[in-house]
Amino acid sequence: THPGKMRNGHKDADATLASPMLLGVADGVSQLEEFGMDASELPNELLRSCENLGMSQLIPDRPVAPQDAYRGPVSLLKEAYEDTESLGSTTVLLAVLDNSTKI
């Protein structure tokens, strides 16, 4: 935790994801604690949802309905966000290890 945040009583609100298909970092806005909210809930829930979607969409040779097929990292992140229930604010960085195409 940053020393300035510690002095103000804020805790880290960051989350990380490392899975076979995804790497992610999300950093919640710790000032939400001033409103009685857990600033780490949204980052954690968002990355869990990204992992669940990534594992269902990106595993090679796995049958997927056309509407559930992988359509890129932005679509995956948007769908993951829509699956969350937590309130809050976060920044997010998501790297998708997509082995379905060739360069």
Side-chain angles (χ1 to χ4, degrees):
T1 303
H2 186 276
K5 284 185 177 182
M6 286 180 68
R7 280 192 296 276
N8 292 327
H10 295 293
K11 64 178 183 175
D12 280 334
D14 56 333
T16 59
L17 165 64
S19 75
M21 305 295 183
L22 300 168
L23 298 173
V25 177
D27 187 16
V29 177
S30 58
Q31 287 81 3
L32 291 172
E33 293 173 356
E34 296 171 10
F35 299 98
M37 299 171 67
D38 182 345
S40 67
E41 282 184 8
L42 179 62
N44 282 294
E45 184 181 5
L46 180 61
L47 290 183
R48 273 193 309 275
S49 184
C50 285
E51 182 175 26
N52 292 337
L53 288 169
M55 294 304 287
S56 68
Q57 294 177 2
L58 293 165
I59 292 178
D61 302 323
R62 186 175 190 180
V64 176
Q67 69 271 15
D68 297 328
Y70 178 68
R71 294 177 309 280
V74 174
S75 294
L76 187 144
L77 185 59
K78 181 181 176 188
E79 188 176 344
Y81 175 74
E82 290 170 352
D83 285 346
T84 63
E85 296 180 3
S86 299
L87 299 176
S89 181
T90 188
T91 57
V92 64
L93 174 71
L94 186 66
V96 178
L97 309 173
D98 174 11
N99 201 19
S100 67
T101 58
K102 295 182 180 180
I103 297 176

